[in-house]
Amino acid sequence: VGGPVVVLAAGLGAWLLAGAVLRPVERMRARAAEISAQDITARLPVPDRDDEIARLGRTLNALLERLDETVTRQRGFVADAGHELRTPLATLRAELELATRPGRSQDELQTAVHAALQDTDRLIRLAEDLLVLARSDTATLPLHPRLLDLTALTGEAARAAAALAAPATVTVEVRTDEAALVTADPVRIRQVLDNLLSNAMRAAPTGTSITLTVHACADTDRVHVTVADRGPGFPPQFLPHAFDRFTRADLARGAGDGTGLGLAIVAALVSAYGGTVTARNRAAGGASVRVHLPAAGTPRPAAVVSGPGGGTHVGRFP
């Protein structure tokens, strides 16, 4: 007689207990169903206790926090990209409209077409930079790493930069104390060097020099690449955001033709190889950006150019 009563009481108690335990789960489920792409700041209600359900709620809220940051960053990236694209596109349209007006002379047409070509080149560079950053965010950037000696690559980058800087009589000095071996994609590392040198050239005053230094540190198994200029330096408020996208210090450093993506691309490419990059102002004046890359094996001795460098390989490119 008592058996059915005990079973019924036990079932009722189990039902009430399960309802009490699962009630927070139902509240979290209902709140999760209400969250949409327009309300990414919402969070799940977490019971004020330390059990499996509370820990699950906190874990899910941490996941929502990361998703919120990612979506916010992507929205900002799209907005900034649209802003950067709008100006050259509007200029290009105005130049083409000017070229199509009747009565334009041959010289005026050539001037308009030349300006349109310059804006088109700027748009192409901007699109390529945006593509690199977008692929780096999704880890789909094509990389072809191999054993690479930075000593030779930095010399090539310096020669190319010096040719562009020649009208301003800015020189580029390359200093390496030994061969620096890394495992990386030479195309991407060259892109890093070109961006750093381009950034320095925009700030370098006429008649000054840019120093490109490569140093293999055996103590830390790192290869350090430093590009330093003798310009006005970075504004103090810019340094914490030097590698953020669409962040520019050009106006304070004497130029305004950058897109604010150069250092961001440097940080993304260096990070792809397990490296880091830092920016600072030099005590003697000017700015310095240093890339730290993991060394590949033991650096081998390099050919040394004789001179007053005391065993330092120094190349100067006018």
Side-chain angles (χ1 to χ4, degrees):
V1 174
V5 176
V6 171
V7 171
L8 182 61
L12 180 61
W15 180 76
L16 293 174
L17 179 62
V21 170
L22 296 178
R23 194 171 297 115
V25 177
E26 175 57 25
R27 286 198 295 267
M28 287 192 291
R29 185 207 63 79
R31 187 71 184 99
E34 297 173 357
I35 297 177
S36 64
Q38 287 71 36
D39 187 25
I40 58 177
T41 60
R43 298 295 179 265
L44 304 179
V46 179
D48 188 15
R49 57 178 187 251
D50 188 18
D51 57 9
E52 290 81 358
I53 294 177
R55 289 193 291 271
L56 173 63
R58 287 191 288 269
T59 300
L60 292 176
N61 278 340
L63 173 62
L64 290 173
E65 184 72 26
R66 292 193 297 272
L67 292 175
D68 185 6
E69 293 175 357
T70 300
V71 171
T72 301
R73 185 169 60 251
Q74 293 295 334
R75 287 176 176 174
F77 179 69
V78 171
D80 291 337
H83 176 75
E84 291 294 332
L85 288 168
R86 180 173 54 187
T87 300
L89 284 173
T91 305
L92 179 61
R93 178 182 176 86
E95 290 162 349
L96 292 176
E97 287 180 347
L98 181 64
T100 58
R101 290 180 181 177
R104 300 291 95 187
S105 66
Q106 185 69 22
D107 290 340
E108 289 175 332
L109 287 174
Q110 289 181 349
T111 301
V113 171
H114 180 69
L117 286 174
Q118 289 181 324
D119 285 330
T120 302
D121 289 339
R122 182 185 175 191
L123 286 169
I124 291 173
R125 290 194 302 270
L126 180 57
E128 290 174 346
D129 290 346
L130 293 173
L131 184 59
V132 168
L133 290 173
R135 287 180 172 178
S136 67
D137 284 344
T138 57
T140 58
L141 185 66
L143 300 173
H144 306 284
R146 63 178 177 84
L147 189 62
L148 181 65
D149 185 357
L150 287 182
T151 303
L153 193 63
T154 50
E156 297 172 3
R159 289 185 182 90
L164 296 175
T169 64
V170 175
T171 58
V172 181
E173 296 181 5
V174 177
R175 300 178 179 177
T176 62
D177 54 4
E178 56 187 3
L181 301 179
V182 297
T183 302
D185 187 336
V187 174
R188 296 304 178 185
I189 296 301
R190 175 62 187 270
Q191 188 174 7
V192 168
L193 296 172
D194 289 344
N195 283 2
L196 292 178
L197 289 169
S198 175
N199 187 70
M201 283 190 296
R202 285 198 297 269
T206 301
T208 62
S209 63
I210 298 169
T211 304
L212 174 56
T213 306
V214 180
H215 172 61
C217 184
D219 295 337
T220 60
D221 291 329
R222 291 264 163 172
V223 174
H224 307 295
V225 180
T226 306
V227 175
D229 63 64
R230 291 165 177 79
F234 293 120
Q237 68 274 14
F238 171 79
L239 284 173
H241 310 284
F243 302 100
D244 293 349
R245 297 168 186 183
F246 300 105
T247 303
R248 284 194 293 255
D250 291 330
L251 296 179
R253 283 164 59 82
D257 57 347
T259 62
L261 293 177
L263 291 180
I265 289 176
V266 168
L269 294 178
V270 170
S271 177
Y273 294 108
T276 57
V277 58
T278 56
R280 67 179 183 88
N281 287 324
R282 303 167 63 232
S288 173
V289 180
R290 171 171 286 189
V291 171
H292 314 265
L293 288 170
T298 304
R300 54 183 174 82
V304 177
V305 177
S306 60
T312 297
H313 177 194
V314 180
R316 187 175 182 88
F317 303 95

